[in-house]
Amino acid sequence: RLLLQRRAFDKYHSGGLWANSCCGHPRPDEPIVEAAVRRTREELGLVTDLHEGFRFRYRADLDNGLIENELVHMMFGRPAGALAPDPAEVSSLRWMSLDGLARDIASTPSAYAPWLRLYVEHGLDDLSGALTALDAA
């Protein structure tokens, strides 16, 4: 299963939409995995070991006339402890199977952030493989 976050409603873009567990950008000279661990702690209140599963490039038109053109390092890990999401970042959380997520995105795409829709549409096999590898570890 994949942890999803519903973005806080007052975010400057994509507020109230369901998205992947956590998003962020590295600071100058900050290693990618360290940036992911930092953002997971800041957004979800969770300290966990993360490893890179794969990379995904996308371009998406967002609300407010914004465009994202990003190379994403997809990180994976298991939560070790209770989640304590920052309400300025996250309005709610839920766990979903990849099959359930794909079905829900197909039936209600407007409920999901554009990048998550692209991850599922074009990267479902990579997501599934990364989650399977995590389970086997």
Side-chain angles (χ1 to χ4, degrees), residues 10-92:
D10 59 351
K11 296 283 284 185
Y12 72 97
H13 73 79
S14 307
L17 297 181
W18 287 99
N20 47 294
S21 309
C22 183
C23 293
H25 296 95
R27 294 176 176 150
D29 299 321
E30 183 179 30
I32 298 293
V33 174
E34 287 180 27
V37 168
R38 174 180 53 79
R39 287 301 297 154
T40 302
R41 183 181 62 251
E42 291 169 354
E43 283 193 30
L44 301 174
L46 178 65
V47 177
T48 187
D49 290 331
L50 295 173
H51 70 277
E52 186 170 345
F54 62 97
R55 294 177 187 175
F56 188 91
R57 177 172 287 286
Y58 74 90
R59 182 189 183 282
D61 295 320
L62 307 178
D63 55 353
N64 299 332
L66 299 174
I67 296 171
E68 284 193 335
N69 185 7
E70 299 201 358
L71 172 63
V72 179
H73 296 257
M74 296 288 203
M75 302 291 170
F76 294 86
R78 285 197 179 90
L83 298 165
D86 177 353
E89 298 280 351
V90 179
S91 65
S92 58

Side-chain angles (χ1 to χ4, degrees), residues 2-5 17-21 23 56 58 60 62 68 74 94 96 98 101-102 105 109 111-124 127:
L2 186 66
L3 178 65
L4 302 180
Q5 69 156 279
L17 297 181
W18 287 99
N20 47 294
S21 309
C23 293
F56 188 91
Y58 74 90
L62 307 178
E68 284 193 335
M74 296 288 203
R94 71 178 177 194
M96 288 189 81
L98 288 180
L101 177 59
I105 286 174
Y112 291 89
W115 58 90
L116 183 60
R117 295 191 314 251
L118 291 168
Y119 298 161
V120 170
E121 180 180 347
H122 300 289
L124 194 59
L127 284 167

